Amino acid sequence: MTFLSQPGGLWRRAVAASLVVATTAFSSVADAGPTLDKIKQRGAIKVGVGTTPGFFAPGDDGQWKGFFVDYGKALSITVFGTPDKVEFTNSSPQQRLPALQAGEFDILLSGVTVTIARALQLGFHFGPTVFYDGQGILVRKDLGVTKAAELDGATIGVQSGTTGELNIADFFRKTGKKFTPVTIEETGEFINALETGRVDAITQDSSDLVGKRTQLKKPDDYVILPERLSKEPLAPAIAGGDDRWQELVNWTVNVTIQAEEWGITSKNVDEFLKSEDPAIQRFLGVDPSLAQATNLDPKWAYNIIKTVGNYGEIFDRNLKPLGWERGYNNLWSNGGLLYSPPFR
């Protein structure tokens, strides 16, 4: 009778007590994990990246810069509270997945496409999609083609070890056209092959092609054809077996998306500390209850935004100068595909 007639009494206290026990048990389990333990013992996160302008490239000062590099810094803040405990290493498309399997990297932020084979056959786990891309074709303008189907008989450079190698073959098989593939392993050789006429065109993710076009001696002599031959959702990739590490990756990305949705930027985040919105108070750690429940630093999200900014800031700083438009990489509320689960 007590439990039914006094919902604020023994019943509520019993539920509260059980939640405390469950939360304590969850925290001890969630903190365990081979990858995260290794990262903390090492004192740095090992990140595999590529070399594509705007996404990841060493600057003149030798420091890595770019869209994906900023997410590496954000992860460092999540784990260590500072953006500089991260080591970036260039890894080719042929080397990156085996290196991740072998434990040479804790995470790949190198424009890895999410596929079912990589998930179920190779056992990789993926974070949220951080860039919605598609495979394109970069051609010489003097070929006079305006769409991919007009490349019948063309010689096209493809990179081994990528989804692009299969996608271009599928495209020509589907259209009934023919092409001659030229397999190129080194990314830098694509530019030379195109400029010397060894190939008529090259095909990769459009994010790669935009950067490569800027590296050509006469970029105006080349054009990226309008079609996208595939869906290429690019996401952080990690090895399986560490749920806590997986979730830290997920929610680090979500911080940048949620911040943009609320209009919180690196410049105005301090003003939002005064917000009376309880969701924003929890998000920025003014109300520490969410951080305590998830065993995170209360200022975790605040520090990410203050240091690297929200998704829009990261995009505009690194990709907008290259001519990229947001497109699918806009918030869901602005016609794009970016959407964060709730922080509660």
Side-chain angles (χ1 to χ4, degrees):
M1 292 295 293
T2 303
F3 287 93
L4 294 175
S5 62
Q6 300 181 30
L10 294 176
W11 178 82
R12 183 174 295 177
R13 288 196 294 273
V15 171
S18 66
L19 285 175
V20 170
V21 173
T23 301
T24 302
F26 174 75
S27 290
S28 62
V29 173
D31 283 341
T35 302
L36 193 55
D37 285 348
K38 185 169 58 176
I39 289 170
K40 290 183 175 180
Q41 290 170 6
R42 186 193 307 127
I45 304 169
K46 289 189 175 182
V47 178
V49 293
T51 51
T52 299
F55 288 90
F56 24 62
D60 295 336
D61 57 359
Q63 298 298 311
W64 283 88
K65 298 177 182 179
F67 179 87
F68 284 110
V69 172
D70 281 345
Y71 276 101
K73 294 176 180 178
L75 273 170
S76 177
I77 293 171
T78 297
V79 177
F80 295 108
T82 177
D84 55 4
K85 292 186 179 297
V86 55
E87 301 171 1
F88 297 102
T89 301
N90 179 23
S91 185
S92 72
Q94 300 83 12
Q95 298 168 336
R96 61 189 180 181
L97 294 177
L100 181 61
Q101 278 184 318
E104 296 177 26
F105 299 125
D106 303 312
I107 186 169
L108 291 179
L109 289 170
S110 55
V112 180
T113 300
V114 180
T115 72
I116 187 172
R118 288 171 174 174
L120 298 184
Q121 181 183 9
L122 300 180
F124 295 123
H125 290 185
F126 293 93
T129 297
V130 288
F131 193 85
Y132 289 92
D133 205 356
Q135 185 171 336
I137 300 176
L138 178 64
V139 303
R140 300 197 318 269
K141 281 184 179 179
D142 60 17
L143 288 180
V145 300
T146 59
K147 55 185 179 180
E150 296 172 354
L151 285 170
D152 194 14
T155 299
I156 301 178
V158 299
Q159 190 160 31
S160 62
T162 66
T163 54
E165 191 175 9
L166 301 175
N167 292 336
I168 191 70
D170 285 348
F171 173 79
F172 277 93
R173 187 180 300 114
K174 183 170 58 179
T175 57
K177 309 293 185 180
K178 294 184 178 180
F179 81 110
T180 301
V182 175
T183 302
I184 300 173
E185 291 195 5
E186 294 297 326
T187 299
E189 284 300 310
F190 271 96
I191 300 298
N192 182 60
L194 192 57
E195 289 186 321
T196 60
R198 181 184 171 197
V199 298
D200 301 309
I202 58 175
T203 183
Q204 284 182 304
D205 292 351
S206 57
S207 55
D208 290 313
L209 297 181
V210 169
K212 282 184 171 52
R213 186 172 178 270
T214 66
Q215 297 173 322
L216 292 163
K217 294 175 184 176
K218 296 181 179 180
D220 290 340
D221 290 348
Y222 302 85
V223 63
I224 299 176
L225 298 178
E227 299 102 325
R228 294 296 175 263
L229 310 185
S230 64
K231 293 185 293 184
E232 302 292 333
L234 308 183
I238 66 172
D242 193 331
D243 292 344
R244 180 70 172 181
W245 177 227
Q246 167 85 60
E247 292 303 333
L248 291 180
V249 172
N250 292 347
W251 290 98
T252 296
V253 173
N254 290 335
V255 162
T256 67
I257 298 171
Q258 183 61 68
E260 184 179 12
E261 182 174 340
W262 276 330
I264 305 175
T265 70
S266 59
K267 296 179 176 60
N268 67 17
V269 64
D270 289 318
E271 289 300 313
F272 273 88
L273 293 174
K274 306 171 188 176
S275 173
E276 296 183 1
D277 185 330
I280 293 178
Q281 290 179 346
R282 291 190 297 267
F283 182 68
L284 294 179
V286 176
D287 173 357
S289 60
L290 183 61
Q292 291 169 352
T294 55
N295 201 23
L296 291 170
D297 183 339
K299 293 296 184 182
W300 158 66
Y302 168 88
N303 289 332
I304 289 175
I305 301 162
K306 187 72 173 178
T307 305
V308 301
N310 66 29
Y311 184 95
E313 290 180 283
I314 295 170
F315 187 101
D316 289 350
R317 179 170 57 247
N318 296 296
L319 303 180
K320 195 171 183 179
L322 296 178
W324 276 102
E325 299 293 336
R326 288 287 294 269
Y328 289 135
N329 297 296
N330 223 318
L331 295 176
W332 66 279
S333 53
N334 291 332
L337 299 176
L338 295 181
Y339 186 100
S340 171
F343 278 78
R344 56 176 313 112

